[in-house]
Amino acid sequence: MKVSVKEQFLISPYLAFFVVHSMQIGVGVLGFQRYVAIYTEQDSWITVLVGGAAVHIVIWMMYKMLNKEQGDILSIHETTFGKWIGGIFTFLFMIYLMAMGITVLRTFIEVLQVWMFPLLSTWTFTLVYLIAVYYIIAGGFRSVVGVCFLGVVVPFYLIFTFLAPLEFANLRNLLPVWDHSIKEIALSFKTMTLSYLGFELLLVYYPFFKNPETSQKWFHYGNLFTVFLYLYLMFITLVYYTPDHLKRTIWATLAMWKIIRFPFVERFEYIGIASWAVVILPNVCLAFWAASRMAKRLFNVTQKKALLLILVITLIVNPLFKERTEIDLLNSIVSQVGLYFIYGYIPLLFFIHYLMSKVRKKV
């Protein structure tokens, strides 16, 4: 079932690079190293590469289905499972998108409360941030993509700040290479999933590309840049921290910023965290835009009404997560669901969709 989008709402294929990269880079960058290193220590960089390669395969599967349908995930579900069962699966995907946006926003607020403002009200910051989110999404998908572009370009300078820890680097921390079993790498790969999540939103915004088939190479380039950035951070982290120290450091990236000193600013991590507010804005905007888009397609309501409901739910749910253990559990659940979705459900859907298309050709 082909989905047609008016010409004025379409975006150029090369913008796929910024859309996928901005969605994959979020709060996970601030502390992903510890969770990966628990199982693989100095071999954690291998996990980053394996995870990136797996994502490229899943992207290829998604494009195969989308190019055939010329629609979105709702089109694929209805073609594969029928209107009612397909609608149920799409609804579950919509809930997953909402949970992703809530997780990103609540985790960032936790960073603010731990590192900058211990007395910051979760409810107040959520309200202010969601007003900005509503303003951006209400401007349409092109506005959301503009924020994705800014979310990549504006904080790009932060990449160079991670070179500072190399002054204290110990390259011996990288040895010995491949000192862990396949099982340990698999467990480490599982924890890396949350950092790569976000690319699956292609299943929603695919119809918004001009000549969407041509956007595939840019989408792969965007994921490749994400892999490079995670690999870059992982190498610097491994040579700066000892394995035991890294396992005890919750926010490894933020802790590395603490060694940076300028005559005009003593706590550089404050600048880094403030800049990260721009980085996570595309995460929240794109997740909530996709969820409201699915609600519009499923229930035949206006996208703005669906968006308002999603934002109200977020405003109610976010303050309910107060303790570190609760927020960590939320991240773990979303990561687990994301793992099953991208490495379990999408390959299964690809296989069933392929078989159904072959059967229809014979009939």
Side-chain angles (χ1 to χ4, degrees):
M1 185 174 66
K2 184 175 181 179
V3 177
S4 59
V5 178
K6 293 181 180 178
E7 180 71 24
Q8 64 264 33
F9 300 129
L10 299 179
I11 62 171
S12 300
Y14 75 89
L15 289 172
F17 175 93
F18 298 97
V19 177
V20 62
H21 178 68
S22 64
M23 193 63 198
Q24 289 177 310
I25 298 297
V27 285
V29 177
L30 302 178
F32 76 99
Q33 302 98 317
R34 170 178 175 257
Y35 299 96
V36 178
I38 287 174
Y39 299 103
T40 49
E41 297 178 331
Q42 78 279 5
D43 286 332
S44 296
W45 61 273
I46 298 175
T47 303
V48 176
L49 287 177
V50 172
V55 169
H56 277 295
I57 295 172
V58 178
I59 290 172
W60 175 83
M61 290 180 180
M62 291 193 300
Y63 265 101
K64 277 290 185 181
M65 292 187 289
L66 291 167
N67 289 340
K68 191 170 187 62
E69 288 293 328
Q70 289 295 303
D72 54 19
I73 189 170
L74 180 60
S75 309
I76 296 171
H77 278 158
E78 289 189 355
T79 301
T80 308
F81 303 113
K83 182 177 180 180
W84 294 107
I85 297 178
I88 292 172
F89 284 135
T90 304
F91 177 75
L92 293 174
F93 181 61
M94 183 188 75
I95 299 299
Y96 163 68
L97 295 174
M98 289 174 54
M100 184 187 297
I102 291 171
T103 301
V104 170
L105 183 56
R106 185 61 189 93
T107 306
F108 180 69
I109 294 174
E110 184 201 15
V111 172
L112 289 175
Q113 291 169 332
V114 171
W115 286 81
M116 295 179 69
F117 308 113
L119 301 180
L120 177 67
S121 168
T122 303
W123 186 88
T124 305
F125 186 86
T126 301
L127 176 63
V128 174
Y129 206 84
L130 290 183
I131 290 173
V133 170
Y134 176 80
Y135 177 76
I136 292 167
I137 299 178
F141 183 64
R142 291 170 69 94
S143 296
V144 176
V145 174
V147 170
C148 291
F149 176 81
L150 293 176
V152 175
V153 175
V154 172
F156 189 78
Y157 76 96
L158 292 174
I159 291 178
F160 303 103
T161 63
F162 296 114
L163 296 174
L166 292 180
E167 180 183 355
F168 309 99
N170 183 0
L171 296 179
R172 292 180 181 176
N173 290 348
L174 296 174
L175 300 175
V177 177
W178 201 279
D179 192 40
H180 295 81
S181 66
I182 299 296
K183 180 181 178 181
E184 288 171 322
I185 291 176
L187 291 170
S188 180
F189 168 82
K190 185 178 177 181
T191 62
M192 186 72 197
T193 301
L194 183 62
S195 300
Y196 280 123
L197 288 181
F199 69 92
E200 64 273 25
L201 270 69
L202 170 69
L203 293 166
V204 180
Y205 56 72
Y206 173 88
F208 286 81
F209 287 116
K210 297 176 183 176
N211 303 317
E213 297 88 350
T214 61
S215 67
Q216 182 170 357
K217 65 177 181 179
W218 294 105
F219 209 85
H220 281 288
Y221 291 156
N223 182 65
L224 192 64
F225 184 57
T226 301
V227 175
F228 165 76
L229 189 58
Y230 279 127
L231 195 63
Y232 167 75
L233 278 174
M234 183 57 79
F235 271 125
I236 291 175
T237 303
L238 291 175
V239 298
Y240 177 67
Y241 294 99
T242 62
D244 291 335
H245 187 193
L246 181 56
K247 291 177 183 178
R248 296 193 304 269
T249 306
I250 297 176
W251 306 103
T253 302
L254 290 177
M256 287 193 292
W257 272 334
K258 291 180 70 175
I259 68 172
I260 301 175
R261 294 287 186 274
F262 291 112
F264 54 89
V265 57
E266 185 176 351
R267 300 292 298 272
F268 183 81
E269 65 268 25
Y270 285 6
I271 296 177
I273 293 171
S275 299
W276 225 254
V278 180
V279 175
I280 72 154
L281 190 57
N283 291 193
V284 180
C285 287
L286 202 54
F288 287 163
W289 175 87
S292 59
R293 168 76 179 173
M294 287 293 94
K296 175 186 175 181
R297 298 260 288 131
L298 265 178
F299 305 113
N300 198 25
V301 297
T302 62
Q303 190 164 351
K304 285 188 178 180
K305 288 182 179 179
L307 175 62
L308 281 172
L309 179 60
I310 291 169
L311 297 184
V312 169
I313 292 172
T314 304
L315 191 60
I316 295 171
V317 170
N318 243 9
L320 298 179
F321 296 94
K322 298 177 181 179
E323 303 297 328
R324 166 66 193 166
T325 52
E326 296 172 349
I327 299 170
D328 197 44
L329 178 62
L330 176 64
N331 277 272
S332 299
I333 292 172
V334 173
S335 178
Q336 193 90 341
V337 173
L339 176 74
Y340 294 142
F341 179 77
I342 62 178
Y343 297 125
Y345 181 69
I346 291 181
L348 180 63
L349 181 63
F350 171 77
F351 180 70
I352 296 174
H353 185 265
Y354 175 78
L355 288 181
M356 293 291 287
S357 63
K358 289 294 183 182
V359 170
R360 286 193 179 92
K361 279 185 179 180
K362 289 182 179 180
V363 173

